[in-house]
Amino acid sequence: MIKKIASVFLGLLILSFPASVGAEISVFVSVPPQKYFTEQVGGERVRVSVLVEKGQDPHTFEPLPAQMAALSRAKLYLSIGLPFERSLLPRLRKINPGLRVFPADRGVEKIMGKDEEHHGHTDEHGHDHDHGGSDPHVWNGVREAGIIAENILAALTDLDPAGAEHYVRNYRNFKARLDKLDSELRELFRGKEGTAFLVFHPAWGYLAREYGLDEVAIESEGKEPKASDLAALISSAKERGIKSILISPQFSRRTAEIIAGNIGANVETVDPLAEEWEENIRAAAHTIAAAAK
Ligand code: ZN
């Protein structure tokens, strides 16, 4: 009897897990927040791998041989507009001609002109670091996240039409959460427009644009500022009453602390590449808002 029940049960289990088990779509993305977005839309139908792992610098990234091997078997690459993709994608097309590449940043209105100033990294690896003049940190905007999710929906539906209904439902749920987050942040920053905050690496430009904040970068041309720039930064930060300095774990704390000591501000660590995207955006926003007058 027990055996019979067990076998019926087993049969049901097999029935409730159709062919999709072990046959998820292998999707590659550039940075951890994209993994979050892709999983929100793709759910259990996708298996997402991130190229730039926690603690790595996406501006000087080079894939490991093992990553290239995995990429040669991937089905889909969701690019995001980072400079390393420009040299990587043509190589990927060669080793994996069947790979679909979908620009997840398509349709995002990019912040222009910050590039030369903040992202002109020295070319240590012999490849192109030119961003084409725009701020690549699109994943840190709530509105931009919605556009990225919509692109992911299009890419997944195209690759896996059988999952269309599932993807649309997931996308709508996620979009509703994004809208809620947006109203929450709008409320948080109401009356605080014009608030300036310092960041070592300027990764929060899209958040700043949306809620009328002013992101001021400490680094210059991707490097520590010169002593004269630092002095100018300190006096302007004093003048503007800046009370909050954000640093990311990928960059050094030293300069931020020198400035903080001079202007009486707090140094807060916020990761612009966290995979727990939603929680992280909320934390970053609250940190900036708490220091506003
Ligand atoms: Zn960056």
PDB file of all heavy atoms in Angstrom, residues 138-151:
ATOM      1  N   VAL A 138      23.381  52.465 -15.995  1.00  0.00           N
ATOM      2  CA  VAL A 138      21.928  52.566 -16.186  1.00  0.00           C
ATOM      3  C   VAL A 138      21.109  51.734 -15.204  1.00  0.00           C
ATOM      4  O   VAL A 138      19.953  52.058 -14.933  1.00  0.00           O
ATOM      5  CB  VAL A 138      21.523  52.153 -17.618  1.00  0.00           C
ATOM      6  CG1 VAL A 138      21.980  53.176 -18.623  1.00  0.00           C
ATOM      7  CG2 VAL A 138      22.109  50.782 -17.977  1.00  0.00           C
ATOM      8  N   TRP A 139      21.705  50.654 -14.667  1.00  0.00           N
ATOM      9  CA  TRP A 139      20.945  49.752 -13.801  1.00  0.00           C
ATOM     10  C   TRP A 139      20.591  50.395 -12.469  1.00  0.00           C
ATOM     11  O   TRP A 139      19.749  49.876 -11.743  1.00  0.00           O
ATOM     12  CB  TRP A 139      21.728  48.453 -13.587  1.00  0.00           C
ATOM     13  CG  TRP A 139      23.088  48.673 -12.989  1.00  0.00           C
ATOM     14  CD1 TRP A 139      23.380  48.789 -11.658  1.00  0.00           C
ATOM     15  CD2 TRP A 139      24.329  48.843 -13.686  1.00  0.00           C
ATOM     16  NE1 TRP A 139      24.730  49.012 -11.491  1.00  0.00           N
ATOM     17  CE2 TRP A 139      25.341  49.045 -12.715  1.00  0.00           C
ATOM     18  CE3 TRP A 139      24.682  48.831 -15.037  1.00  0.00           C
ATOM     19  CZ2 TRP A 139      26.684  49.249 -13.048  1.00  0.00           C
ATOM     20  CZ3 TRP A 139      26.016  49.029 -15.370  1.00  0.00           C
ATOM     21  CH2 TRP A 139      26.999  49.228 -14.392  1.00  0.00           C
ATOM     22  N   ASN A 140      21.222  51.515 -12.119  1.00  0.00           N
ATOM     23  CA  ASN A 140      20.892  52.143 -10.847  1.00  0.00           C
ATOM     24  C   ASN A 140      19.793  53.197 -10.939  1.00  0.00           C
ATOM     25  O   ASN A 140      19.646  54.017 -10.036  1.00  0.00           O
ATOM     26  CB  ASN A 140      22.153  52.716 -10.189  1.00  0.00           C
ATOM     27  CG  ASN A 140      22.978  51.631  -9.510  1.00  0.00           C
ATOM     28  OD1 ASN A 140      22.423  50.635  -9.068  1.00  0.00           O
ATOM     29  ND2 ASN A 140      24.279  51.816  -9.444  1.00  0.00           N
ATOM     30  N   GLY A 141      19.020  53.165 -12.000  1.00  0.00           N
ATOM     31  CA  GLY A 141      17.850  54.030 -12.091  1.00  0.00           C
ATOM     32  C   GLY A 141      16.599  53.167 -12.031  1.00  0.00           C
ATOM     33  O   GLY A 141      16.574  52.072 -12.598  1.00  0.00           O
ATOM     34  N   VAL A 142      15.567  53.640 -11.341  1.00  0.00           N
ATOM     35  CA  VAL A 142      14.351  52.837 -11.198  1.00  0.00           C
ATOM     36  C   VAL A 142      13.588  52.809 -12.524  1.00  0.00           C
ATOM     37  O   VAL A 142      13.133  51.757 -12.981  1.00  0.00           O
ATOM     38  CB  VAL A 142      13.464  53.377 -10.058  1.00  0.00           C
ATOM     39  CG1 VAL A 142      12.181  52.570  -9.938  1.00  0.00           C
ATOM     40  CG2 VAL A 142      14.230  53.353  -8.740  1.00  0.00           C
ATOM     41  N   ARG A 143      13.457  53.965 -13.164  1.00  0.00           N
ATOM     42  CA  ARG A 143      12.799  54.028 -14.461  1.00  0.00           C
ATOM     43  C   ARG A 143      13.573  53.175 -15.486  1.00  0.00           C
ATOM     44  O   ARG A 143      12.993  52.420 -16.271  1.00  0.00           O
ATOM     45  CB  ARG A 143      12.741  55.477 -14.952  1.00  0.00           C
ATOM     46  CG  ARG A 143      12.105  55.623 -16.325  1.00  0.00           C
ATOM     47  CD  ARG A 143      12.666  56.844 -17.039  1.00  0.00           C
ATOM     48  NE  ARG A 143      12.297  58.087 -16.393  1.00  0.00           N
ATOM     49  CZ  ARG A 143      11.232  58.809 -16.742  1.00  0.00           C
ATOM     50  NH1 ARG A 143      10.456  58.402 -17.704  1.00  0.00           N
ATOM     51  NH2 ARG A 143      10.983  59.940 -16.128  1.00  0.00           N
ATOM     52  N   GLU A 144      14.904  53.296 -15.437  1.00  0.00           N
ATOM     53  CA  GLU A 144      15.764  52.547 -16.352  1.00  0.00           C
ATOM     54  C   GLU A 144      15.624  51.040 -16.117  1.00  0.00           C
ATOM     55  O   GLU A 144      15.634  50.259 -17.074  1.00  0.00           O
ATOM     56  CB  GLU A 144      17.222  52.988 -16.187  1.00  0.00           C
ATOM     57  CG  GLU A 144      17.528  54.375 -16.748  1.00  0.00           C
ATOM     58  CD  GLU A 144      16.960  55.528 -15.927  1.00  0.00           C
ATOM     59  OE1 GLU A 144      16.602  55.308 -14.746  1.00  0.00           O
ATOM     60  OE2 GLU A 144      16.868  56.652 -16.444  1.00  0.00           O
ATOM     61  N   ALA A 145      15.472  50.656 -14.840  1.00  0.00           N
ATOM     62  CA  ALA A 145      15.287  49.227 -14.531  1.00  0.00           C
ATOM     63  C   ALA A 145      14.030  48.694 -15.217  1.00  0.00           C
ATOM     64  O   ALA A 145      14.002  47.558 -15.693  1.00  0.00           O
ATOM     65  CB  ALA A 145      15.203  49.023 -13.022  1.00  0.00           C
ATOM     66  N   GLY A 146      12.991  49.541 -15.285  1.00  0.00           N
ATOM     67  CA  GLY A 146      11.750  49.148 -15.959  1.00  0.00           C
ATOM     68  C   GLY A 146      11.975  48.920 -17.447  1.00  0.00           C
ATOM     69  O   GLY A 146      11.447  47.962 -18.031  1.00  0.00           O
ATOM     70  N   ILE A 147      12.775  49.789 -18.057  1.00  0.00           N
ATOM     71  CA  ILE A 147      13.079  49.637 -19.486  1.00  0.00           C
ATOM     72  C   ILE A 147      13.918  48.377 -19.716  1.00  0.00           C
ATOM     73  O   ILE A 147      13.673  47.605 -20.638  1.00  0.00           O
ATOM     74  CB  ILE A 147      13.811  50.895 -20.018  1.00  0.00           C
ATOM     75  CG1 ILE A 147      12.916  52.133 -19.853  1.00  0.00           C
ATOM     76  CG2 ILE A 147      14.220  50.713 -21.487  1.00  0.00           C
ATOM     77  CD1 ILE A 147      13.611  53.456 -20.132  1.00  0.00           C
ATOM     78  N   ILE A 148      14.885  48.166 -18.835  1.00  0.00           N
ATOM     79  CA  ILE A 148      15.736  46.975 -18.938  1.00  0.00           C
ATOM     80  C   ILE A 148      14.878  45.703 -18.816  1.00  0.00           C
ATOM     81  O   ILE A 148      15.019  44.765 -19.600  1.00  0.00           O
ATOM     82  CB  ILE A 148      16.849  46.998 -17.853  1.00  0.00           C
ATOM     83  CG1 ILE A 148      17.834  48.147 -18.133  1.00  0.00           C
ATOM     84  CG2 ILE A 148      17.589  45.659 -17.785  1.00  0.00           C
ATOM     85  CD1 ILE A 148      18.791  48.463 -16.985  1.00  0.00           C
ATOM     86  N   ALA A 149      13.951  45.705 -17.854  1.00  0.00           N
ATOM     87  CA  ALA A 149      13.081  44.540 -17.662  1.00  0.00           C
ATOM     88  C   ALA A 149      12.217  44.293 -18.896  1.00  0.00           C
ATOM     89  O   ALA A 149      11.978  43.147 -19.289  1.00  0.00           O
ATOM     90  CB  ALA A 149      12.211  44.731 -16.420  1.00  0.00           C
ATOM     91  N   GLU A 150      11.765  45.358 -19.519  1.00  0.00           N
ATOM     92  CA  GLU A 150      10.958  45.234 -20.732  1.00  0.00           C
ATOM     93  C   GLU A 150      11.786  44.615 -21.862  1.00  0.00           C
ATOM     94  O   GLU A 150      11.297  43.783 -22.625  1.00  0.00           O
ATOM     95  CB  GLU A 150      10.472  46.630 -21.125  1.00  0.00           C
ATOM     96  CG  GLU A 150       9.161  46.646 -21.842  1.00  0.00           C
ATOM     97  CD  GLU A 150       8.776  48.073 -22.221  1.00  0.00           C
ATOM     98  OE1 GLU A 150       8.947  48.982 -21.378  1.00  0.00           O
ATOM     99  OE2 GLU A 150       8.318  48.255 -23.365  1.00  0.00           O
ATOM    100  N   ASN A 151      13.033  45.029 -21.947  1.00  0.00           N
ATOM    101  CA  ASN A 151      13.940  44.442 -22.949  1.00  0.00           C
ATOM    102  C   ASN A 151      14.191  42.965 -22.669  1.00  0.00           C
ATOM    103  O   ASN A 151      14.252  42.148 -23.596  1.00  0.00           O
ATOM    104  CB  ASN A 151      15.273  45.192 -22.962  1.00  0.00           C
ATOM    105  CG  ASN A 151      15.151  46.564 -23.596  1.00  0.00           C
ATOM    106  OD1 ASN A 151      14.329  46.780 -24.489  1.00  0.00           O
ATOM    107  ND2 ASN A 151      15.961  47.506 -23.141  1.00  0.00           N
TER     108      ASN A 151
END
